[in-house]
């Protein structure tokens, strides 16, 4: 028992050194409602939907981190998770412009946004839908959104305090591959599986839940980051504003741990995943009826159980001075070329839609116009520019992309990463699909030109560069 007095004596004699060692890593939290106070068009479907009410709020949650090493440059980051379908063009740029004047000395390139992909959040793309008068327009919502995001980011940065972090791996069945493949090789999103021609479900499903726990200096839990390979679209066709299953996760975790707990959702690579089942539908529905839960509540129950289970081990290994590095770089990925046949199909579909007076034409015309414009300029603009963020936090890597990235690409990064856990964070941008070569050969939604700016070749470039950047942050490997 001699060691306890010795340790206490060391702390007593050198309190400043002890505190300095622990206080080099800082974290700050903030959250803000990004729920409009008037009806809006909802983005994520091919038809125009106007919200009838707010079922539950859509939220932005900001996590600010900073590390002050004994020598060298200060490292920093502000991450903001948003209950939106994607981060449309102009939003991040507007946020950075505001923060540049508010956060003196902070490098605004070190802030990034990403979305949970709820299909029941406000539309942010002008011209995508036929929005009636009296309904909030996308440009007006973006102005409102950027203001709320700026306030949230500033509050998180200014609230940063000495903090600890731990990580753990949980498991929950949340996402399912949504592409059915038939014996001829064709694939279809949500295709029927009770047909004689059904062959198999196209790809893998990742039921791991990567978790980051943040603590104050009294080892009290302040926030939890949750990464699942599934978009939040259980209620995707509804006509109300909703954060989908992430709202239920927040409510339940705050009941269990603290009403002030910050819940930080991250959507992993899941361009070919969803919470909807292709198989076992009747049995699953019977389970929901027996539990008295809606599908989104059942998903939340599973996520919360994974967090609760991991909490029991995460609080045993809290790091108050973890390695923290944040790299930002610009990538150019080869675009997915639009073929002459695809361009001609787009022209014909525009002509058919224009003649159909009963059609909800705005979305179809918008997407096909985009295909034709790409076809005209693709030889002059052969690359798609994107911003890549890679962070090391302790033994965890976090890597972003702006896409709905097919799961296989995310798994390739995770499998080759030297990190103990690797969090892929997709939808840190406009959210177009990056399908695999396997998916492209099968066709179906998620592979067509109008929803895919970057193809398998670009996906491979993204994988290689992301792995290279992660590797550079683990020199001890």
């Amino acid at each position: 028992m001699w060691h306890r007095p010795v340790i206490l004596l060391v702390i007593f004699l050198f309190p400043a050194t002890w505190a300095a060692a622990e206080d080099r890593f800082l974290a700050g939290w903030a959250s803000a409602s990004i729920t409009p106070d008037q009806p809006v068009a909802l983005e994520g479907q091919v038809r125009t939907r106007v919200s009838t009410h707010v079922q539950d709020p859509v939220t932005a949650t900001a996590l600010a981190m900073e590390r002050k090493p004994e020598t060298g440059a200060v490292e920093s980051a502000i991450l903001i998770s948003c209950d939106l379908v994607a981060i449309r063009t102009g939003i991040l740029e507007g946020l950075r412009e505001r923060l540049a004047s508010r956060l003196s000395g902070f490098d605004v390139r070190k802030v990034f946004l990403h979305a949970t992909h709820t299909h029941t959040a406000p539309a942010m793309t002008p011209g995508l839908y036929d929005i009636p008068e009296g309904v909030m327009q996308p440009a007006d919502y973006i102005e409102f959104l950027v203001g709320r995001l700026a306030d949230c980011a500033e509050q998180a940065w200014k609230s940063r305090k000495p903090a600890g972090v731990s990580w753990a791996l949980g498991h929950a069945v949340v996402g399912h591959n949504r592409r059915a493949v038939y014996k001829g090789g064709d694939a279809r999103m949500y295709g029927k599986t009770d047909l004689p021609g059904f062959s198999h479900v196209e790809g893998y499903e990742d039921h791991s839940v990567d978790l980051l726990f943040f603590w104050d200096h009294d080892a009290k839990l302040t926030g939890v980051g949750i990464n699942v390979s599934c978009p939040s679209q259980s209620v995707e066709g509804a006509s109300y504003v909703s954060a989908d299953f992430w709202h239920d996760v927040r409510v339940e975790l705050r009941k269990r741990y603290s009403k002030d707990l910050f819940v930080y959702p991250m959507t992993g690579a899941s361009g070919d995943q969803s919470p909807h089942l292709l198989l076992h539908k009747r049995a699953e529905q019977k389970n929901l009826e027996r539990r008295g839960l809606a599908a989104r509540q059942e998903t939340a129950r599973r996520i919360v159980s994974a967090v609760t289970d991991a909490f029991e081990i995460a609080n045993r290994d809290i790091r108050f001075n973890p390695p923290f590095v944040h790299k930002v770089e610009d990538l150019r990925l080869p675009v997915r070329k639009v073929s002459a046949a695809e361009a001609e199909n787009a022209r014909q579909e525009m002509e058919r839609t224009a003649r159909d007076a009963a059609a909800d034409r705005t979305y179809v015309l918008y997407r096909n116009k985009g295909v034709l414009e790409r076809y005209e300029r693709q030889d002059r603009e052969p690359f798609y520019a994107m911003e890549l963020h890679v962070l090391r936090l302790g033994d965890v890597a976090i890597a972003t992309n702006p896409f709905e990235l097919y799961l296989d690409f995310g798994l390739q990064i995770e499998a080759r990463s030297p990190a103990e856990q690797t969090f892929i964070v997709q939808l840190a941008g406009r959210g177009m699909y990056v399908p695999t070569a396997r998916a492209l050969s099968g066709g179906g939604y998620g592979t067509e030109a109008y929803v895919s700016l970057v193809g398998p070749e670009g996906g491979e470039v993204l994988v290689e560069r992301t792995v290279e950047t992660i590797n550079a942050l683990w020199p001890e490997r």
Side-chain angles (χ1 to χ4, degrees):
M1 298 299 294
W2 58 269
H3 57 284
R4 185 179 298 274
V6 172
I7 293 173
L8 293 175
L9 179 61
V10 170
I11 296 172
F12 177 77
L13 292 176
F14 304 102
T17 303
W18 184 272
E22 291 191 342
D23 290 353
R24 288 195 221 116
F25 179 70
L26 310 175
W29 290 98
S31 65
S33 172
I34 52 174
T35 310
D37 60 0
Q38 56 186 290
V40 291
L42 302 169
E43 193 158 343
Q45 299 291 328
V46 300
R47 61 186 175 86
T48 302
R49 293 171 297 150
V50 174
S51 63
T52 57
H53 64 284
V54 175
Q55 181 74 9
D56 43 78
V58 286
T59 301
T61 304
L63 168 60
M65 294 182 286
E66 182 182 38
R67 187 172 186 271
K68 299 178 178 180
E70 292 178 335
T71 60
V74 172
E75 196 59 88
S76 60
I78 301 175
L79 296 59
I80 308 178
S81 174
C82 305
D83 293 329
L84 298 170
V85 72
I87 307 300
R88 298 307 192 195
T89 303
I91 295 172
L92 177 60
E93 295 79 2
L95 171 62
R96 286 176 171 172
E97 184 178 350
R98 297 196 188 196
L99 290 181
S101 61
R102 292 196 193 187
L103 302 182
S104 177
F106 178 80
D107 179 2
V108 295
R109 282 262 289 178
K110 295 294 181 78
V111 61
F112 66 84
L113 308 168
H114 58 94
T116 61
H117 202 61
T118 175
H119 282 213
T120 46
M124 296 164 287
T125 306
L128 184 61
Y129 299 111
D130 184 15
I131 303 175
E133 292 184 8
V135 174
M136 195 175 200
Q137 298 297 312
D140 297 325
Y141 179 71
I142 288 175
E143 179 67 19
F144 162 81
L145 172 67
V146 170
R148 290 293 176 94
L149 294 176
D151 292 342
C152 190
E154 181 180 11
Q155 182 181 346
W157 182 253
K158 292 183 176 179
S159 69
R160 65 197 188 283
K161 298 175 182 177
V165 63
S166 58
W167 46 90
L169 179 68
H171 298 88
V173 177
V174 177
H176 306 275
N177 190 287
R178 65 183 187 176
R179 290 173 53 82
V181 182
Y182 300 91
K183 292 177 182 178
D186 292 340
R188 195 174 308 150
M189 181 179 73
Y190 303 135
K192 290 187 175 183
T193 56
D194 57 354
L195 303 176
F198 170 69
S199 173
H200 59 278
V201 177
E202 185 177 79
Y204 188 70
E205 297 171 355
D206 184 4
H207 302 311
S208 61
V209 181
D210 284 299
L211 297 160
L212 275 172
F213 296 86
F214 290 83
W215 316 81
D216 65 16
H217 259 201
D218 296 321
K220 177 184 176 183
L221 186 66
T222 60
V224 57
I226 308 170
N227 185 286
V228 295
S229 293
C230 184
S232 58
Q233 53 185 92
S234 292
V235 295
E236 58 184 331
S239 293
Y240 49 70
V241 173
S242 172
D244 212 286
F245 59 71
W246 284 116
H247 173 76
D248 304 298
V249 171
R250 291 186 186 106
V251 169
E252 185 57 33
L253 285 176
R254 286 170 182 160
K255 286 181 182 177
R256 296 194 182 196
Y257 295 104
S258 166
K259 63 180 178 60
D260 300 318
L261 182 72
F262 290 93
V263 178
Y264 192 92
M266 291 171 272
T267 304
S270 50
D272 53 347
Q273 310 287 306
S274 91
H276 303 300
L277 291 168
L278 292 185
L279 301 165
H280 314 303
K281 293 181 181 180
R282 285 181 293 173
E284 179 73 0
Q285 183 57 41
K286 179 64 71 174
N287 285 349
L288 292 175
E289 292 171 3
R290 288 167 175 164
R291 292 186 187 274
L293 298 176
R296 58 178 274 185
Q297 294 170 321
E298 171 61 15
T299 297
R301 185 190 68 82
R302 296 175 186 181
I303 294 172
V304 169
S305 294
V307 175
T308 303
D309 183 60
F311 178 85
E312 296 178 5
I313 56 175
N315 61 3
R316 302 176 189 176
D317 186 16
I318 302 173
R319 313 286 180 88
F320 286 96
N321 187 25
F324 178 56
V325 188
H326 181 186
K327 297 296 183 184
V328 189
E329 63 176 88
D330 297 312
L331 295 187
R332 295 203 310 162
L333 307 180
V335 299
R336 182 206 159 169
K337 293 291 185 73
V338 178
S339 69
E342 288 173 322
E344 180 58 30
N345 285 338
R347 289 191 188 93
Q348 292 180 9
E349 187 171 16
M350 289 183 73
E351 291 175 359
R352 288 194 301 270
T353 303
R355 293 194 297 266
D356 185 358
D360 191 347
R361 294 180 287 186
T362 306
Y363 179 91
V364 176
L365 295 173
Y366 181 94
R367 76 185 189 187
N368 285 295
K369 179 182 177 183
V371 170
L372 294 175
E373 289 174 348
R374 282 172 54 197
Y375 182 69
E376 294 298 325
R377 69 172 186 265
Q378 62 190 4
D379 291 332
R380 301 189 307 272
E381 301 176 11
F383 295 100
Y384 177 81
M386 64 156 282
E387 189 174 273
L388 171 68
H389 292 255
V390 175
L391 295 81
R392 176 177 181 175
L393 179 59
D395 294 330
V396 167
I398 301 172
T400 71
N401 68 82
F403 306 113
E404 289 188 73
L405 187 70
Y406 271 45
L407 177 60
D408 284 359
F409 291 121
L411 294 176
Q412 290 168 27
I413 296 169
E414 292 184 42
R416 295 170 57 189
S417 168
E420 186 176 304
Q421 290 177 242
T422 300
F423 294 54
I424 307 299
V425 180
Q426 69 168 21
L427 290 159
R430 60 185 295 187
M432 301 292 275
Y433 289 96
V434 181
T436 59
R438 172 177 59 180
L440 207 61
S441 67
Y445 183 79
T447 68
E448 298 98 331
Y450 68 86
V451 293
S452 176
L453 288 170
V454 172
E457 182 184 358
E460 295 296 340
V461 174
L462 173 62
V463 168
E464 293 301 322
R465 188 56 196 145
T466 302
V467 171
E468 289 171 4
T469 307
I470 294 174
N471 280 331
L473 303 186
W474 263 263
E476 70 271 26
R477 184 185 185 190

